[in-house]
Amino acid sequence: MASAAKRLEAVYGTATPQIAFDGVTLVLGGKTIIENLSLGVQPGEFLCIVGASGCGKTTALRLAAGLYQPTSGKVNFDGQPMREPRREIAIVFQDYGKALLPWRTAAGNVSLALEAGGMPSAERPARIEELLRTVGLPGHAGKYPSEMSGGMQQRLQIARCLAQEPKTLLMDEPFGALDAMTRQGLQDEVLSLVAASGATVIFVTHDLDEAIYLGDRVIGLLPHPGRIGIELSVNLPRPRDQLSTREHPEFLRLRRQLFDFIKATEQ
Amino acid sequence: MNRAAIIWRVASFAVAAGFVAIWQLIANLKLVSPVFLPGPDRAWAALMRGFSSGDLWSKLAGTLEHMAYGWLAASIAGIAIGAIIGSSSRMRTYVAPSLEFLRPLPVSAIIPVAIAMLGLTQAMALFVIAFGAIWPIMLATIHGFAAVEPRLYEVARSLQMSRLAVIFKIALPSASPDILAGMRLSLTVALILSVVCEILAGLDGLGHWVLLSARAFRSADLFAGVILLGLTGYVTSVAMSLAEHRLLAWQAAQR
């Protein structure tokens, strides 16, 4: 029951990381947000980043997205330096309400990514329908985001990201604003979507259980400045299950370890 | 429309009818000399006479033409300039003081300048109307472009959208409620300035008609022209509201 990354390593030998941070430091407004961060994310890996608020986890994600450029050090994607955001890296923002176009319907919002990718307009409707079905929004194509619940809007944002056909999916506390039931449902859906597409995922969250439940690997950041404080491999069987995975002794052991780490950083 | 809305609508018509009745009463009692104040009956008759002879039609067409051309020119220029200024915070800092100087400038002060440069011509009228009507549109566009959700620009970046696509698919639609509100304000400004230019430059239109009627003491014709101007303002503004309602259907969903 090896993790996705280990599986790939077994097949290909030591794979080149899809995303590689090499001694990355980011200074914003005279403040060092991230210091000397080195990190490799293997293709197909599901990496979760946790940490106390203000530890730079969202910043690390924005560096991986190419939305920020490091002050020193390098961020590479597939061995190439990241100079700007790229279409094969999709970002799911936490504030889905701000990341969707309120003047476009659900179908229109998904279409935005297809238009950007240069898909001919004749092919779009079928693809849009397929994507909306994939994220569990069939029959909502004509609705505006404001007519949808928070969970539905976040599904819609995920559909738009999938329309980019991303190699890497960057998720910034995507379920932070949702209620517990909706969150669990979406966690499982993201896992099956990712398994189906084979995308690499970096998932930022402040929910430690969520990180362990989803990830192949969990990294805990230390604050001021942000740096890696703990790194845990999650050797839990997949597919994960909301009940049995969370009751697994390994899950509980990792949970304990991570909680102790976070507690220590907060003192 | 629900019951309450119908009652309000009926009440508002009743108030309007009441005003007309008072007007008729004042005219009938000759509280104001009939030379200056015709009753609604005479004004109405003059309106009908003007239409049947075709004179008023051509005057109305003239005013509508001035208004439409000036307003459209102001809209195109206002949105274009506003978009350029609004999409860059540096531009806003540089240009804002000049705008603050030009904006409160009474447009009537520009008219002599325009007449000196362009003469008593249609071009002069077009310039003055467009100059007056551009401000609400341009300022609204600047505001609308400056207020685009930054997150959407990040979405656009991650989709590697072209600059043009960002303007037409993100910024313009996002600013459209502001822009349309500005365009509605400008519509009134354009009508006022059309009349002013027609009066000053003797251009064919309702302004000219009103002026000539007043000079000839044809008070019924004068009032017919004023009524028609009022109707023009009302109808164009209602049409604009309908267009706004249509274009901004997504906002209705938001409420």
Side-chain angles (χ1 to χ4, degrees), chain A residues 13-73:
Chain A
T14 317
T16 32
Q18 186 165 89
I19 295 178
F21 282 62
D22 184 9
V24 170
T25 296
L26 181 75
V27 181
L28 282 179
K31 219 177 138 198
T32 307
I33 312 286
I34 290 207
E35 190 167 67
N36 198 19
L37 182 71
S38 291
L39 171 69
V41 189
Q42 302 300 325
E45 185 180 1
F46 200 122
L47 173 75
C48 292
I49 302 180
V50 296
S53 45
C55 71
K57 45 191 196 296
T58 293
T59 311
L61 200 75
R62 294 173 69 84
L63 281 160
L67 289 170
Y68 286 152
Q69 288 299 314
T71 310
S72 67

Side-chain angles (χ1 to χ4, degrees), chain B residues 48-138:
Chain B
M48 290 302 115
R49 200 168 52 240
F51 275 139
S52 59
S53 73
D55 285 357
L56 264 182
W57 281 122
S58 73
K59 301 290 173 190
L60 176 63
T63 298
L64 284 177
E65 194 181 314
H66 294 144
M67 186 178 165
Y69 283 152
W71 181 68
L72 282 177
S75 299
I76 293 167
I79 293 171
I81 299 171
I84 294 168
I85 299 172
S87 51
S88 141
S89 61
R90 194 175 298 167
M91 276 291 265
R92 286 203 296 279
T93 342
Y94 288 149
V95 183
S98 323
L99 289 185
E100 286 310 309
F101 172 74
L102 284 171
R103 187 178 55 91
L105 196 68
V107 185
S108 31
I110 288 294
I111 296 178
V113 180
I115 292 178
M117 289 193 313
L118 298 165
L120 295 172
T121 58
Q122 299 277 0
M124 181 281 294
L126 191 68
F127 174 80
V128 169
I129 297 164
F131 183 86
I134 199 172
W135 299 104
I137 300 175
M138 189 164 81

Side-chain angles (χ1 to χ4, degrees), chain A residues 95-230:
Chain A
D95 44 6
Y96 40 79
K98 291 180 177 176
L100 294 169
L101 309 182
W103 56 87
R104 285 197 182 206
T105 58
N109 269 283
V110 176
S111 178
L112 185 76
L114 300 177
E115 292 160 27
M119 180 182 272
S121 57
E123 296 169 22
R124 279 180 225 147
R127 180 79 180 124
I128 290 167
E129 208 194 309
E130 188 189 334
L131 285 161
L132 287 176
R133 203 170 340 105
T134 309
V135 297
L137 291 176
H140 296 285
K143 281 194 181 159
Y144 289 104
S146 53
E147 296 172 298
M148 303 170 118
S149 69
M152 287 163 79
Q153 290 185 46
Q154 193 55 293
R155 284 162 197 266
L156 179 56
Q157 200 192 172
I158 292 170
R160 185 178 66 199
C161 286
L162 292 178
Q164 289 176 246
E165 295 184 1
K167 280 190 182 171
T168 295
L169 201 54
L170 304 174
M171 307 184 88
D172 185 10
E173 301 197 28
F175 310 140
L178 302 174
D179 64 84
M181 285 306 289
T182 311
R183 193 183 312 161
Q184 292 200 347
L186 277 171
Q187 284 168 353
D188 290 334
E189 279 176 44
V190 161
L191 282 180
S192 65
L193 288 175
V194 166
S197 72
T200 311
V201 182
I202 303 182
F203 191 105
V204 164
T205 178
H206 57 253
D207 180 344
L208 307 184
D209 289 32
E210 182 174 68
I212 301 166
Y213 181 73
L214 294 173
D216 293 315
R217 186 157 55 120
V218 178
I219 282 177
L221 295 184
L222 288 167
H224 316 297
R227 59 208 188 281
I228 294 178
I230 194 172

Side-chain angles (χ1 to χ4, degrees), chain A residues 62 87 95 98 103 115, chain B residues 151 154 159-160 169 173:
Chain A
R62 294 173 69 84
R87 216 174 294 138
D95 44 6
K98 291 180 177 176
W103 56 87
E115 292 160 27
Chain B
R151 187 66 87 219
E154 290 180 352
L159 288 172
Q160 292 183 296
K169 291 179 181 173

Side-chain angles (χ1 to χ4, degrees), chain B residues 156-176:
Chain B
R157 280 177 69 195
S158 91
L159 288 172
Q160 292 183 296
M161 285 167 66
S162 69
R163 231 188 120 62
L164 264 186
V166 173
I167 289 173
F168 284 101
K169 291 179 181 173
I170 307 257
L172 261 182
S174 168
S176 61

